[in-house]
Amino acid sequence: MQFPQALEAVLQTLERMRDERAHRPCASRSVLDALNRVATFRTSDNVRETKIERLASVQSRVCACTKCPNLASTRTQTVFGVGNPDAEIMFIGEAPGADEDAQGEPFVGRAGQLLTKIIKAMGFAREEVYIANVLKCRPDVPAGSFGNRPPTPREMQTCRPYLMEQIDIIKPQVIVALGAVAVEGLLGTRSPMRELRGRWNSFDGTPLMITYHPAYLLRNQSPSEKRKVWEDMMQVLERLEKPISEKQRNYFL
């Protein structure tokens, strides 16, 4: 018998003996409360361990995936996702770039550094949220080419089940879609970002906020555009019922 089930059986027996008063157990109310707290902690740990194990199982399949032969043959490695399996917020981008392909972690380049700055300004550590991409491989580019290309609809559709498993395991309270490609991968919607951002959507019952990709802010340094992203993030904080300080309300990226 696993520890949580055994402990629950002991607690039930002690409670029954106390109620029946046939043989008073040598356990005070404080002891019973302490045992209940231990049971709660152990149960939470087991749930977390299960999440970690489930994510690891999905990741192992992603690592071996060759469903897109062109991507499998050109990638350095797959880029699964990183962060807290119990995260309240899950940030989802489009696909790994060159830096991510080299390091095996999403959002580690210049755009990733800006995303980390946004996360910290929201009052979270990067390790407290979960970050992933719609696509787990860097889209291939012609030899000698520089930069990145967006994933095709077919590539996103092929890779989508892995992301769905991640979301189902983590069960975030809020999803943040970063950029139009991520929106298309999640919702199948193609529209200008000016029409999409700042509005709440729903993804399988989970509130989904759409905002600009950090790379867009690197290309467009306009304070007004940066402010729009921050206003979107304040909506996320409000949805999570997090306190927002005066400094945060007046913050510009």
Side-chain angles (χ1 to χ4, degrees):
M1 182 182 293
Q2 297 294 319
F3 178 83
Q5 290 85 354
L7 184 54
E8 181 64 24
V10 172
L11 287 168
Q12 290 177 356
T13 300
L14 290 172
E15 292 284 4
R16 186 176 66 254
M17 292 173 66
R18 177 178 288 279
D19 292 341
E20 293 174 354
R21 296 182 180 277
H23 300 284
R24 291 183 63 82
C26 296
S28 65
R29 172 54 56 187
S30 62
V31 170
L32 291 174
D33 290 342
L35 285 171
N36 271 311
R37 287 195 296 272
V38 171
T40 300
F41 293 152
R42 288 300 297 265
T43 300
S44 298
D45 287 344
N46 286 340
V47 169
R48 181 180 176 84
E49 183 179 354
T50 300
K51 281 189 173 186
I52 293 173
E53 291 173 348
R54 290 174 65 194
L55 285 169
S57 175
V58 181
Q59 185 172 9
S60 67
R61 286 186 278 117
V62 168
C63 288
C65 182
T66 57
K67 293 179 181 179
C68 301
N70 57 313
L71 303 187
S73 63
T74 58
R75 72 190 181 208
T76 301
Q77 59 192 314
T78 56
V79 181
F80 182 67
V82 66
N84 182 4
D86 297 318
E88 296 176 280
I89 309 174
M90 186 170 181
F91 291 89
I92 299 176
E94 53 181 70
D99 292 322
E100 290 73 22
D101 178 64
Q103 298 185 40
E105 182 174 326
F107 284 92
V108 293
R110 291 180 62 220
Q113 292 168 16
L114 180 53
L115 177 61
T116 299
K117 180 180 177 181
I118 294 170
I119 292 168
K120 289 183 177 179
M122 295 173 71
F124 293 91
R126 181 180 167 102
E127 297 75 21
E128 292 179 299
V129 303
Y130 198 90
I131 305 172
N133 284 310
V134 173
L135 212 65
K136 309 306 182 190
C137 297
R138 184 192 182 198
D140 55 328
V141 294
S145 299
F146 296 95
N148 304 306
R149 72 162 175 84
T152 66
R154 181 173 183 177
E155 289 168 343
M156 289 192 288
Q157 190 63 31
T158 301
C159 205
R160 194 173 188 271
Y162 296 132
L163 179 62
M164 299 305 97
E165 287 189 76
Q166 286 176 293
I167 295 173
D168 182 62
I169 293 168
I170 295 165
K171 299 189 185 306
Q173 294 182 36
V174 172
I175 295 172
V176 177
L178 300 168
V181 176
V183 175
E184 182 180 355
L186 286 164
L187 302 179
T189 301
R190 271 182 177 265
S191 296
M193 278 298 294
R194 64 178 179 275
E195 299 176 5
L196 296 173
R197 64 141 292 271
R199 299 181 181 179
W200 284 106
N201 289 262
S202 178
F203 182 82
D204 286 349
T206 301
L208 184 149
M209 171 57 65
I210 299 171
T211 196
Y212 290 121
H213 194 286
Y216 168 78
L217 299 182
L218 294 176
R219 297 190 301 270
N220 188 334
Q221 295 289 326
S222 167
S224 63
E225 296 302 280
K226 293 180 179 181
R227 180 62 187 181
K228 288 175 183 176
V229 172
W230 185 242
E231 289 173 352
D232 298 342
M233 294 307 96
M234 283 196 290
Q235 287 198 63
V236 171
L237 291 175
E238 289 172 351
R239 179 58 67 97
L240 293 173
E241 299 183 348
K242 300 292 184 182
I244 301 176
S245 68
E246 194 62 27
K247 180 179 178 180
Q248 286 175 311
R249 291 193 183 281
N250 296 323
Y251 185 73
F252 278 82
L253 299 177

